[in-house]
Amino acid sequence: MDIEQPPLFRSAQEGFRWDAVAHQPYKQDGSAPFKDISRQVLFHQDDLGCELRYFEMDAGGYSTLERHEHAHAVMILRGRGECLLGAKVRPVRQFDLVSIPSMVWHQFRASNGEPLGFLCMVNVLRDRPQLPTDAELAEMKAVPAVARFLERR
Ligand code: MN
């Protein structure tokens, strides 16, 4: 059997890292739709059909504002911040759960005081995220709480 199996055990390390898990800081230039975020793929198992990833934003960082056909299941593991889901902005903190349905706009923002880290469960097979057009962004910003969230610095 040549099928590569994941290690059966991987120890947690200091600072929300895990043994033999690559830490992938996202590259960013001036036009990047995200800020100060890293990704670690904790599990990728074809027999389960899903992947479990750990994302972390530095204080003040944020994930990409996006939507897609596939869903996400998220558990906040570290810190606090805010989550935009559709037309709603919610504060989130450690151990909160967020279900992100298909084709709903979403974005996470860390508080300015500390990093925000979350586990994200997702299908192995998934479509490419869509970014909002200017018209879609304008429509989102018609909701004052959403505009405040999106324009926060
Ligand atoms: Mn997403």
Side-chain angles (χ1 to χ4, degrees), residues 39 41 43-45 48-53 55 68 70-74 119-127:
R39 176 175 70 159
V41 179
F43 295 94
H44 173 111
Q45 281 183 240
L48 285 175
C50 70
E51 242 182 50
L52 187 65
R53 300 93 52 87
F55 290 91
H68 33 68
H70 62 273
H72 292 307
V74 167
L119 294 171
C120 177
M121 187 164 61
V122 73
N123 271 63
V124 167
L125 299 174
R126 53 189 185 268
D127 59 314

Side-chain angles (χ1 to χ4, degrees), residues 57-61 78-81 109-116 152:
M57 285 143 279
D58 295 346
R78 169 180 202 183
R80 341 175 258 111
R109 282 178 177 260
S111 71
N112 286 323
E114 60 188 318
L116 177 70
R152 211 186 84 199

Side-chain angles (χ1 to χ4, degrees), residues 10 23 25-26 34 47 59 64 88 103 115-116 122-123 132 134:
R10 279 176 279 189
H23 182 260
Y26 277 52
F34 47 80
D47 57 351
T64 304
K88 289 232 151 90
M103 294 307 282
L116 177 70
V122 73
N123 271 63
D134 288 346

Side-chain angles (χ1 to χ4, degrees), residues 125-141:
L125 299 174
R126 53 189 185 268
D127 59 314
R128 183 174 288 276
Q130 303 170 11
L131 304 181
T133 62
D134 288 346
E136 286 164 338
L137 205 50
E139 197 179 316
M140 279 185 247
K141 287 182 178 175

Side-chain angles (χ1 to χ4, degrees), residues 62-81:
Y62 48 85
S63 64
T64 304
L65 172 61
E66 62 180 27
R67 69 178 180 184
H68 33 68
E69 295 286 348
H70 62 273
H72 292 307
V74 167
M75 177 190 264
I76 308 296
L77 208 57
R78 169 180 202 183
R80 341 175 258 111

